[in-house]
C-alpha cells in the first residue's frame, strides 16, 4: 500500500483534533478555578454551581471516551480515502466544540446540538470498514470509487 500525498490532510486533521482536545481541557481547568473544584476531584457536589462544572467536565470526558475510535478511523480510513475521511474528521471536530458549548450552559439537553458529529464519525467508520474489506479482497460492488478518484492523484 502506498500512502497518498493527500494523507497530509489526515495529519492536519489529527493536529486540529489535538487542539480541540486541548481547548476542552483548558475550559475544564478554567471551570475548576471558577467553581472551586480542586484536583483530583472529578466532579462537584456544590448545589449551586456544581451542575455547570459537571457539564463542562462531562463534555470533555465524553469527547475523550470516543477519541481513540476517532483517531483510529482517521488514521486507517484516511489511508485509502484521505480527503473524505479528513472532511468527516473536521465535521466531527466542529461538532465536539458545538456539543461542549451547548453542554457547558448547564443544560445537558443543549449538548444535542453537536449530535451531527455522530454522522461524521459513522462516515469515518465506513471508510475504515471499506479499506479493511478491500485489503482482504472481499470485493463486491466498488463502493465509493467515485470518491477516491479525486483524492488519489499525487
Amino acid at each position: 500500500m502506498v500512502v497518498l500525498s493527500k494523507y497530509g490532510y489526515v495529519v492536519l486533521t489529527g493536529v486540529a483534533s489535538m487542539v480541540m482536545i486541548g481547548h476542552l481541557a483548558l475550559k475544564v481547568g478554567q471551570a475548576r478555578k471558577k467553581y472551586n473544584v480542586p484536583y483530583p476531584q472529578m466532579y462537584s457536589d456544590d448545589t449551586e454551581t456544581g451542575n455547570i462544572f459537571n457539564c463542562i467536565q462531562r463534555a470533555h470526558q465524553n469527547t475523550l471516551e470516543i477519541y481513540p475510535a476517532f483517531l483510529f478511523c482517521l488514521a486507517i480510513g484516511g489511508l485509502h480515502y484521505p480527503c473524505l475521511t479528513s472532511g468527516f474528521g473536521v465535521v466531527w471536530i466542529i461538532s465536539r466544540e458545538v456539543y461542549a458549548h451547548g453542554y457547558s450552559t448547564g443544560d445537558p439537553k443543549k449538548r444535542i446540538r453537536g449530535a451531527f458529529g455522530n454522522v461524521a464519525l459513522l462516515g469515518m467508520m465506513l471508510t475504515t470498514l471499506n479499506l479493511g474489506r478491500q485489503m482482504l479482497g472481499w470485493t463486491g460492488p466498488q463502493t465509493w470509487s467515485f470518491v477516491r478518484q479525486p483524492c488519489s492523484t499525487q
Side-chain angles (χ1 to χ4, degrees), residues 56-140:
I56 294 168
Q57 166 67 12
R58 271 309 297 153
H60 181 242
Q61 186 66 35
N62 184 261
T63 300
L64 290 175
E65 289 165 0
I66 197 67
Y67 195 52
F70 167 81
L71 289 176
F72 176 77
C73 290
L74 180 66
I76 303 303
L79 287 170
H80 204 241
Y81 303 102
C83 296
L84 181 62
T85 304
S86 291
F88 284 143
V90 168
V91 170
W92 185 82
I93 291 166
I94 293 167
S95 80
R96 295 317 297 181
E97 287 286 352
V98 172
Y99 176 91
H101 180 74
Y103 212 162
S104 67
T105 64
D107 181 2
K109 291 179 183 175
K110 291 184 179 177
R111 73 187 192 277
I112 299 303
R113 296 174 182 165
F116 62 92
N118 294 330
V119 176
L121 187 59
L122 177 62
M124 293 173 70
M125 291 167 64
L126 290 173
T127 62
T128 304
L129 178 70
N130 199 46
L131 175 60
R133 179 190 67 82
Q134 289 180 1
M135 290 176 77
L136 291 171
W138 296 351
T139 58

Side-chain angles (χ1 to χ4, degrees), residues 18-34:
M18 291 186 292
V19 171
M20 178 268 301
I21 291 290
H23 177 245
L24 297 184
L26 181 66
K27 289 179 72 168
V28 172
Q30 291 171 337
R32 278 190 180 285
K33 290 178 185 171
K34 182 176 181 179

